[in-house]
Amino acid sequence: MPCEQGRKLLEEIERGPSYPLHIHVLASAFCCGALAILLGGTAPDMLRSLVVGAVLRLFVYMLGKLHFNDFFHNLMGGAAAALLSWLFTLGGGDAGIVTIASPMPLVPGMMITNAIRDVTAGELVAGISRGTVPYSH
């Protein structure tokens, strides 16, 4: 396939329909809940992370309507996740697990994974430049 045809196809896919908001909220909630279990949390910690993850996704969606950049979305989303995690664990539970698991949907995983791979392979300039890309968009 020629490059120009591939580029047009990618642009068409990008402009295409996205998943509805409720699917994004459910995916974010399940991601946070599953990570809480993987981190050694209990069932109540998982439920707390699930709720915080769902609320966080709705919060970031509302921020997106205000047309701020991704860095601001992640900054405010992380702060909201930390505050909600703290509030949900006031009555008990492991605040550390809920706080770590909740903002995970905000992390640009593939880009950071590639940056870490480059750094560990000794390609420091490529790793550092790739590591800054997720935070500069």
Side-chain angles (χ1 to χ4, degrees), residues 30-109:
F30 286 133
C31 170
C32 295
L35 188 58
I37 293 295
L38 288 173
L39 292 172
T42 62
D45 291 334
M46 181 201 65
L47 292 175
R48 290 180 186 100
S49 295
L50 219 123
V51 172
V52 172
V55 172
L56 174 65
R57 182 63 187 112
L58 289 171
F59 179 71
V60 171
Y61 174 78
M62 297 306 280
L63 282 177
K65 294 291 186 184
L66 300 175
H67 303 291
F68 290 112
N69 64 10
D70 287 340
F71 178 78
F72 186 75
H73 292 168
N74 287 339
L75 180 68
M76 291 294 105
L83 178 64
L84 287 170
S85 299
W86 176 71
L87 288 173
F88 274 104
T89 56
L90 282 176
D94 191 341
I97 288 178
V98 178
T99 303
I100 292 170
S102 298
M104 275 304 132
L106 300 175
V107 176

Side-chain angles (χ1 to χ4, degrees), residues 5 7 13 16-17 19 21 26 34 47-49 56 75 91 97 109 111 114 122 126 132:
Q5 183 182 2
R7 182 172 290 131
I13 291 170
Y19 289 105
L21 178 61
L26 283 172
L47 292 175
R48 290 180 186 100
S49 295
L56 174 65
L75 180 68
I97 288 178
M111 292 181 184
N114 288 337
T132 59

